Amino acid sequence: MARVRISDVAAAAGVSTSTVSLVLNDRTGARISEETRVRVREAAATVGYTPNSIARGLRMQRTRTIGLVSDVIATTPFAGRMLAGAQDAAREHGHLVFLVNTDADPAVERDAIRALVDQQVDAMIYACMWHQVVETPADLPAQSVFLDCRPVSGGHPAVVPDELAGGRAAVRELVAAGHRRIAYVDAEELNPPVASGLRRQAYLEVLAEAGITPDPAWHVHGSETTSASGRAATERLLDLPADLRPTAIFCFNDRMAAGAYVAARHRGLEIPADLSVVGYDDQQLVAGELDPPLTTVALPHYEMGRWATEVALGAREPPAPDQTYLMPCPIIRRDSVSSPPAAAANSSRRRA
Amino acid sequence: MARVRISDVAAAAGVSTSTVSLVLNDRTGARISEETRVRVREAAATVGYTPNSIARGLRMQRTRTIGLVSDVIATTPFAGRMLAGAQDAAREHGHLVFLVNTDADPAVERDAIRALVDQQVDAMIYACMWHQVVETPADLPAQSVFLDCRPVSGGHPAVVPDELAGGRAAVRELVAAGHRRIAYVDAEELNPPVASGLRRQAYLEVLAEAGITPDPAWHVHGSETTSASGRAATERLLDLPADLRPTAIFCFNDRMAAGAYVAARHRGLEIPADLSVVGYDDQQLVAGELDPPLTTVALPHYEMGRWATEVALGAREPPAPDQTYLMPCPIIRRDSVSSPPAAAANSSRRRA
DNA sequence: TGAGCCTGCTAAATCGATTGATCACATATT
DNA sequence: AATATGTGATCAATCGATTTAGCAGGCTCA
């Protein structure tokens, strides 16, 4: 069963293809009588005509498609939300999205960008899964937006999570609960460079604004960003002398926070009564499934996906040239934060 | 900077566009001298020509694109692997994939299928995220493959996980470790219908083949498939009299298994010394992060994604008409299974 | 010398839409 | 009567490739 073409509609309605096109596209200014319009529309409906997007794309020089090239889609739960955001925005604007997963392979990435350009995509989104600064790939069309990363040399709109504000919100949550001895379970130095640095900066800033001088022992590093690594780092905090031991921990991410739970449990410490914990990322399967559920800061992947797509399609004003848009990271309050244990509050208040 | 067209190459090489096309597509049988071929190729390289896929698609009636419509992409970690599998297979065959997320909205789904057909995709993949039987959507082209679901009325190739074999492997793992009192923490009746039924069937079959008569009390249901629900169901098992209490649990999925861990811990039971646990799904962030890491059965989403794409592109033989391909689910051995406690028959062993 | 056959290349049709120019005809104006 | 104006619809070019039929020129051979 061959596809119905515009000429089939024209034949059925007894008019030319021009007329059909003019009617179906509602071209104002075209002088077509109302009777003819009705006849054409009915003919189109009865033969079941839908326009061939390829032919239209060729003629119009506009395909109503966008390309999304991402370095990772399988190994992180964030990718899905990002895609969903991009997807929804694209659909709302009548666009379809080509998805390419490069697995961070530069050759695959190059070929993918070329293939998408050859497909005449109207716009392109270059996404990374971890907030970072990247080289602008060759052949990237002008109409491109960076998602969860920033081009070193600028030249394109970009959106990343506002990790500084998010980190501040997380630590303020602990300060507001009355904690003074607050630790930071950090990722390995420089990995991933941007996120880690900003969250650490937020930690230091909030302690300073609360008039707390952090003890260097409160800043511990994990070798990776896993639960096991978070546990090991937390052990070191819990080994500190009682008057120095933190009553609250801000963790680089939720997985490390899960490790903190394990460490605390092995010492017989209750969360949050004996130790308050805040994570980052809001990984549903981690933060939501922990016992008690983890208070954390969400990474706004869905929103960033939407933002990037809307900017790429020109439906939203881009930020000033070479400015990166910072997407707010909302704090997700669950049950892992309470006021510090009474004993801790009384025993030692270290102030500058 | 306008795109380079084939006519630009022709002009640069001093030949016709026909010649350029013939040369660049390596059409054997075309009588073009070697000198001309070299000249054309050099011209193409220097002007930086790459063919316009839209124009080619129109002429060839073949776009080298496929459509993938999925009911969910954001809320499950499995979606990513499925996409990655489809993606990789498509790339290896020189195809690009259009991704559409319908959020299980029938209207969105209908529009998406139409849009993809209008884009002249060469093939289509209809994916669900949870193994199920579905109605065949209207307008679905003949060249379509069902992924992680089966059309009620057949007519298309389909691939689903072999949950029966996977479930058998899981329970056999417990039988092989020496367990006799093996429980099944099930999902709610009929939700999701197919997976739950098959895993239950596997449980009953393996007990039967091991000569074990299951006590009805060993088959408990959770109201949902969450950790909390798994915990509640497990509590009921642990409340059984000592001589009836299971020494091993097969859980419908990893999240419920995480709940079983919580229940066991609250009773002071060690996993696997006091209670062996096997899950299903191999959700990395759950199974891998538990303490101890959970032995489970993996859902082969990546492989199913590949399979569906290869069949859709004709690169792999489809199964016999109206036969559904069952993809093996490999067992992932971690540390949550050991032999039953020696005193299992008469002691509840509460630990401090 | 001219029919037959290669060789090397190109003209022109085609894919299915969109659109500016144009046509046929009716009516209004001078 | 001749010209202008307006209406409704169509013609034909176009987008950028692929592909079939065929042309021009050289060579062979009877």
Side-chain angles (χ1 to χ4, degrees):
Chain A
M1 183 179 68
R3 258 189 80 92
V4 175
R5 299 183 307 281
I6 196 171
S7 58
D8 298 320
V9 180
V15 297
S16 70
T17 60
S18 316
T19 303
V20 175
S21 174
L22 261 13
V23 169
L24 296 185
N25 290 304
D26 272 325
R27 297 218 67 85
T28 55
R31 297 178 309 219
I32 310 281
S33 70
E34 190 52 37
E35 297 116 86
T36 305
R37 302 192 106 99
V38 170
R39 197 148 38 85
V40 167
R41 276 193 273 263
E42 281 174 354
T46 59
V47 300
Y49 171 73
T50 56
N52 180 321
S53 304
I54 295 295
R56 173 182 276 174
L58 177 60
R59 175 62 228 244
M60 309 265 278
Q61 301 291 80
R62 183 131 181 288
T63 55
R64 304 198 138 258
T65 60
I66 71 171
L68 194 164
V69 350
S70 170
D71 60 346
V72 176
I73 61 171
T75 52
T76 115
F78 302 129
R81 299 194 221 162
M82 194 177 259
L83 292 180
Q87 193 66 187
D88 287 354
R91 180 162 43 73
E92 286 164 20
H93 291 90
H95 282 244
L96 242 24
V97 5
F98 277 116
L99 172 66
V100 181
N101 169 217
T102 65
D103 268 324
D105 178 329
V108 170
E109 179 178 297
R110 213 193 45 233
D111 292 351
I113 291 175
R114 259 207 257 287
L116 290 169
V117 169
D118 291 347
Q119 284 285 345
Q120 311 285 107
V121 294
D122 292 342
M124 195 118 109
I125 294 174
Y126 184 82
C128 296
M129 214 41 67
W130 308 106
H131 183 173
Q132 56 192 280
V133 176
V134 298
E135 292 288 339
T136 302
D139 298 333
L140 202 66
Q143 190 77 287
S144 300
V145 177
F146 284 69
L147 210 182
D148 209 0
C149 52
R150 251 170 333 117
V152 263
S153 43
H156 295 274
V159 57
V160 301
D162 191 350
E163 314 237 19
L164 192 54
R168 287 199 200 106
V171 182
R172 285 205 188 107
E173 191 75 5
L174 296 169
V175 170
H179 293 275
R180 307 287 297 172
R181 304 205 302 263
I182 301 173
Y184 178 41
V185 172
D186 201 348
E188 191 187 6
E189 201 74 50
L190 293 174
N191 173 28
V194 181
S196 167
L198 291 172
R199 295 177 195 179
R200 172 169 42 233
Q201 182 185 338
Y203 165 73
L204 296 173
E205 277 185 23
V206 173
L207 290 205
E209 93 191 5
I212 302 170
T213 305
D215 192 287
W218 296 346
H219 186 189
V220 291
H221 289 268
S223 52
E224 306 167 76
T225 59
T226 61
S227 167
S229 185
R231 173 181 175 176
T234 304
E235 306 272 16
R236 267 174 275 139
L237 293 173
L238 301 181
D239 282 339
L240 292 174
D243 63 340
L244 197 60
R245 201 165 70 184
T247 60
I249 305 181
F250 171 42
C251 294
F252 172 71
N253 71 5
D254 292 350
R255 297 175 73 194
M256 298 186 87
Y261 272 52
V262 175
R265 168 154 58 84
H266 273 256
R267 305 272 176 141
L269 295 178
E270 283 247 342
I271 292 171
D274 303 315
L275 185 70
S276 289
V277 179
V278 176
Y280 210 116
D281 291 0
D282 193 32
Q283 291 204 335
Q284 312 291 338
L285 285 171
V286 178
E289 299 284 322
L290 283 173
D291 174 34
L294 179 69
T295 290
T296 188
V297 179
L299 248 15
H301 282 97
Y302 180 88
E303 290 74 14
M304 293 195 299
R306 281 200 85 93
W307 188 96
T309 304
E310 288 171 0
V311 169
L313 294 180
R316 170 194 286 270
E317 227 30 61
D322 292 334
Q323 278 270 321
T324 295
Y325 184 78
L326 299 177
M327 185 67 72
C329 297
I331 187 157
I332 310 293
R333 293 191 177 81
R334 296 205 181 89
D335 309 316
S336 62
V337 174
S338 71
S339 48
N346 294 344
S347 73
S348 81
R349 303 191 54 157
R350 300 169 61 92
R351 302 197 51 144
Chain B
M1 179 181 68
R3 258 190 78 92
V4 175
R5 298 183 308 283
I6 195 171
S7 58
D8 298 321
V9 180
V15 296
S16 70
T17 60
S18 316
T19 302
V20 176
S21 175
L22 260 11
V23 169
L24 296 185
N25 289 304
D26 271 325
R27 297 217 67 83
T28 54
R31 297 177 309 220
I32 310 281
S33 70
E34 191 51 37
E35 298 116 86
T36 305
R37 302 191 106 99
V38 170
R39 197 147 39 83
V40 167
R41 277 192 274 262
E42 280 173 354
T46 58
V47 300
Y49 170 74
T50 57
N52 180 321
S53 303
I54 295 296
R56 173 183 276 175
L58 177 60
R59 174 64 227 243
M60 309 263 277
Q61 301 291 78
R62 182 130 182 290
T63 55
R64 303 198 140 260
T65 60
I66 71 172
L68 195 164
V69 351
S70 171
D71 60 346
V72 177
I73 60 172
T75 53
T76 114
F78 302 128
R81 299 194 222 162
M82 196 178 259
L83 293 179
Q87 191 68 181
D88 287 354
R91 180 162 42 73
E92 286 165 20
H93 291 89
H95 282 244
L96 241 26
V97 4
F98 276 117
L99 173 66
V100 181
N101 170 215
T102 65
D103 268 323
D105 179 330
V108 171
E109 179 179 297
R110 213 193 45 233
D111 291 352
I113 292 175
R114 259 207 256 287
L116 290 170
V117 169
D118 292 346
Q119 284 285 345
Q120 312 285 106
V121 293
D122 292 341
M124 195 118 110
I125 294 174
Y126 184 83
C128 297
M129 215 40 69
W130 309 106
H131 183 174
Q132 56 190 281
V133 176
V134 297
E135 292 287 338
T136 302
D139 298 332
L140 202 65
Q143 191 78 288
S144 298
V145 177
F146 284 69
L147 210 181
D148 209 0
C149 53
R150 246 167 340 112
V152 264
S153 44
H156 294 276
V159 56
V160 301
D162 190 350
E163 314 235 21
L164 192 54
R168 287 198 200 106
V171 183
R172 285 206 188 106
E173 191 77 4
L174 296 170
V175 170
H179 294 274
R180 308 284 298 172
R181 303 206 302 264
I182 301 173
Y184 178 41
V185 172
D186 202 349
E188 192 187 6
E189 201 75 48
L190 294 174
N191 174 29
V194 181
S196 166
L198 291 172
R199 295 177 195 179
R200 172 168 44 231
Q201 182 184 338
Y203 165 73
L204 296 173
E205 277 185 23
V206 172
L207 290 204
E209 92 189 8
I212 301 171
T213 305
D215 192 286
W218 296 346
H219 186 188
V220 292
H221 289 268
S223 52
E224 308 168 76
T225 60
T226 60
S227 167
S229 185
R231 173 181 176 176
T234 303
E235 306 272 16
R236 269 174 273 138
L237 294 173
L238 301 181
D239 281 340
L240 292 175
D243 60 343
L244 196 62
R245 201 166 70 185
T247 60
I249 305 182
F250 172 42
C251 294
F252 173 70
N253 70 7
D254 292 350
R255 296 175 73 193
M256 298 186 87
Y261 272 52
V262 175
R265 167 154 59 83
H266 274 255
R267 304 273 175 139
L269 296 178
E270 281 247 343
I271 293 173
D274 303 314
L275 185 69
S276 288
V277 179
V278 176
Y280 210 116
D281 292 358
D282 193 31
Q283 291 203 335
Q284 311 292 338
L285 284 171
V286 178
E289 298 284 323
L290 284 172
D291 176 34
L294 179 69
T295 290
T296 188
V297 179
L299 248 16
H301 283 97
Y302 180 87
E303 291 75 13
M304 295 195 297
R306 281 200 85 92
W307 188 96
T309 304
E310 288 171 359
V311 169
L313 293 180
R316 171 195 286 271
E317 228 25 66
D322 293 334
Q323 280 269 322
T324 295
Y325 184 79
L326 299 176
M327 186 67 73
C329 298
I331 187 157
I332 309 293
R333 293 192 177 82
R334 295 203 181 90
D335 308 318
S336 62
V337 174
S338 71
S339 47
N346 53 13
S347 160
S348 65
R349 292 195 13 169
R350 289 192 68 89
R351 300 164 31 100

